[in-house]
Amino acid sequence: SLAILPFHNASSDAKLDWLGSSMAEMLSTDVGQSASVRMVSTDRVGQVLKDLRITPQSSLDQGTVGRIANLSNVDTVVWGQYAQFGDHIRIDATIQDLKRGHSATVKEDAASEKELLPAVDRLAAQIREQLSVSKSLQKELREHAFKPSTTSISALRDYDQGLQQLRGGSFADAVKNFQGAIEQDSQFPLAYSKLAES
């Protein structure tokens, strides 16, 4: 069982805050799906973080991650942070296997915002390789991985803001953001789906 937590913005630039929850959302589908691996939904993770009063601005430690894992009933937790240096964005992720008592750290770099989606894809592949599962299960996860259905970062930003508002019950604001995402990328099926839901 696996939970991917929103990533922490280690930059001083609050304009990048949206990326934390969006990265968790993308990784949870990009790592892959399998009947043998239970992925905790981002909604459930959000509820656990809210119950523990952990905000997206909180930086996590091993003890806090252990409490999150316990409440989420998972063996493995992925958490991390990202920071921007000029145009360059660096992403660090920790894969903590609480059942076996070990952790691994993986890193990925994006030369600019435009390179973020390929960087997240590469990060998902690294996370998949670090999971304590057989080679055949890793292959199954890889074959059932879903990448974001847009290549537009601005559409993804609007979509993520819409998701947060939808989860918070601000349906009218969510509608505006999903419409904004569709204006940026008219071939973004998830945005249409969430727009209809809102």
Side-chain angles (χ1 to χ4, degrees):
S1 53
L2 176 66
I4 299 178
L5 308 185
F7 279 47
H8 172 66
N9 181 6
S11 304
S12 53
D13 190 355
K15 285 187 294 195
L16 282 178
D17 283 350
W18 70 274
L19 189 52
S21 57
S22 192
M23 200 173 299
E25 195 94 34
M26 287 186 283
L27 286 171
S28 66
T29 57
D30 207 351
V31 166
Q33 310 293 315
S34 165
S36 306
V37 176
R38 180 178 65 88
M39 183 74 71
V40 177
S41 74
T42 48
D43 287 346
R44 174 68 187 136
V45 169
Q47 186 59 54
V48 168
L49 295 177
K50 190 176 174 185
D51 291 347
L52 291 172
R53 292 189 169 83
I54 296 170
T55 66
Q57 290 73 38
S58 306
S59 111
L60 301 173
D61 56 34
Q62 304 276 353
T64 307
V65 170
R67 283 166 49 220
I68 294 167
N70 192 32
L71 278 174
S72 308
N73 193 26
V74 292
D75 310 320
T76 306
V77 179
V78 175
W79 51 291
Q81 65 178 23
Y82 56 94
Q84 186 168 28
F85 308 96
D87 288 339
H88 184 90
I89 298 169
R90 178 183 171 132
I91 311 164
D92 298 296
T94 300
I95 302 99
Q96 191 167 340
D97 186 334
L98 295 119
K99 192 176 183 180
R100 291 164 188 82
H102 69 78
S103 65
T105 304
V106 293
K107 303 175 190 326
E108 204 47 70
D109 293 292
S112 66
E113 262 196 10
K114 288 179 183 170
E115 298 299 314
L116 259 175
L117 297 177
V120 170
D121 192 33
R122 294 191 302 271
L123 189 68
Q126 288 190 65
I127 291 169
R128 201 166 36 240
E129 286 165 16
Q130 293 296 331
L131 296 177
S132 301
V133 296
S134 66
K135 293 287 181 195
S136 61
L137 187 47
Q138 282 189 10
K139 183 172 182 278
E140 186 185 336
L141 286 168
R142 188 170 54 250
E143 288 169 354
H144 294 91
F146 298 101
K147 293 174 180 53
S149 55
T150 182
T151 54
S152 165
I153 289 294
S154 52
L156 198 58
R157 185 182 298 121
D158 282 347
Y159 173 77
D160 182 72
Q161 288 171 345
L163 267 187
Q164 304 313 316
Q165 288 158 341
L166 179 60
R167 288 176 183 147
S170 302
F171 303 115
D173 291 332
V175 164
K176 287 178 194 160
N177 276 296
F178 292 131
Q179 285 171 334
I182 290 164
E183 281 170 24
Q184 303 288 338
D185 179 0
S186 62
Q187 304 298 312
F188 191 177
L190 276 175
Y192 284 102
S193 169
K194 293 296 180 183
L195 174 61
E197 191 181 325
S198 303

